[in-house]
Amino acid sequence: MPAKLSVNLNAIAMLRNRRDLPWPSVTGLGRIALAAGASGLTVHPRPDQRHVRFSDLPEIRALIDDEFPEAEFNIEGYPSDEFFDLCASAEPEQVTLVPDDPTQATSDHGWNFRENRELLVDVVAKYKAIGCRVSLFADGDGDAEAVKIAREVGADRIELYTGPYGGCYDDPQKAAIILEALGKTADAAFANGLDVNAGHDLTVANLPALLKRIPKLAETSIGHGLTADALEYGMAETVRRFRRACGQVV
């Protein structure tokens, strides 16, 4: 099946927060994205709330429950006690755990599965106990042993960090090398019974090659590039463009 598209709302929230006004509306644009066929919405509520605010979460939950019950809510974050409380309240279908420091501008690396095995055993069980599918952010470096550990700690999925791939938009040869490493990571995940998501700096231009190498990709989570395109094409048409890039019939 084609990969699903989850629209990350953080960039929209960041734009709203510049003026502390209710526009652009995070839930309003989320509604447009879902109406255009997106399979879900993603947020990363950072501790300083510089992007999505904690108060956005119940509104997004209500939007999905009331108007798009087949859609999924995916919440990303470092598994702190505060983050767990947010997830326990918002009840996302999926939680994506990332090894971020609170000061990071954005997620820029996956988990060191060897060093964090004990931590991840505990936190994965904790989130699964409240009904969340658990995805762990992973470097797409082809490390099959690391992916095996992700399975052993109880994860359901990994999310491939595709930032380096997206950063090669002007270097096709380097992009091909990174793409193959991403593919090998995905192969190892599938061999260990994990599903695979992908996210970071994905675009209409680079998605088809990623999907050709990883045809069983379950989901893409896209925010920055999608929001940038929405300024040019509008949110609804941009979602349709990204859905086509994911291999969906629109």
Side-chain angles (χ1 to χ4, degrees):
M1 293 180 62
K4 294 181 178 180
L5 171 66
S6 184
V7 174
N8 189 312
L9 299 173
N10 270 34
I12 295 166
M14 182 176 64
L15 181 59
R16 175 201 59 189
N17 294 352
R18 290 185 70 246
R19 290 291 184 268
D20 197 25
L21 294 166
W23 60 82
S25 169
V26 172
T27 52
L29 284 163
R31 177 181 290 109
I32 293 170
L34 293 173
S39 297
L41 300 175
T42 292
V43 297
H44 187 151
R46 296 180 180 277
D48 61 6
Q49 301 188 69
R50 65 183 182 269
H51 299 146
V52 165
R53 297 170 178 160
F54 300 162
S55 59
D56 291 318
L57 272 59
E59 295 182 2
I60 297 169
R61 178 75 271 170
L63 169 67
I64 292 173
D65 289 345
D66 295 345
E67 301 180 38
F68 302 93
E70 300 302 315
E72 290 194 350
F73 194 10
N74 173 47
I75 302 182
E76 301 178 347
Y78 181 82
S80 64
D81 291 342
E82 181 180 47
F83 181 73
F84 177 79
D85 290 342
L86 291 173
C87 291
S89 178
E91 299 181 326
E93 283 73 23
Q94 177 173 267
V95 61
T96 300
L97 302 179
V98 298
D100 281 8
D101 183 283
T103 62
Q104 285 182 220
T106 186
S107 302
D108 61 8
H109 63 284
W111 286 97
N112 184 323
F113 290 107
R114 295 174 180 85
E115 291 185 1
N116 292 281
R117 180 195 288 265
E118 291 186 13
L119 168 69
L120 291 172
V121 167
D122 292 338
V123 298
V124 168
K126 190 175 179 180
Y127 286 91
K128 293 182 80 168
I130 60 171
C132 301
R133 179 196 310 129
V134 177
S135 179
L136 298 178
F137 211 47
D139 292 317
D141 54 7
D143 187 342
E145 181 183 352
V147 173
K148 183 179 180 182
I149 295 171
R151 179 58 174 171
E152 291 171 350
V153 301
D156 302 294
R157 297 184 180 185
I158 59 168
E159 179 174 322
L160 296 171
Y161 169 52
T162 53
Y165 173 61
C168 294
Y169 59 90
D170 58 351
D171 189 339
Q173 291 184 332
K174 187 174 180 181
I177 294 171
I178 295 175
L179 177 61
E180 182 55 27
L182 288 165
K184 288 181 178 178
T185 309
D187 293 342
F190 295 136
N192 281 281
L194 291 164
D195 289 325
V196 179
N197 298 339
H200 224 83
D201 297 332
L202 295 174
T203 66
V204 167
N206 64 30
L207 269 168
L210 181 70
L211 269 297
K212 183 177 181 180
R213 177 58 182 84
I214 312 174
K216 293 195 297 182
L217 195 70
E219 177 183 289
T220 59
S221 174
I222 306 175
H224 183 82
L226 190 148
T227 303
D229 279 10
L231 295 173
E232 183 173 357
Y233 300 102
M235 178 58 80
E237 179 56 25
T238 294
V239 167
R240 289 189 286 267
R241 284 165 50 84
F242 272 85
R243 287 179 60 203
R244 293 186 190 101
C246 287
Q248 298 180 25
V249 176
V250 179

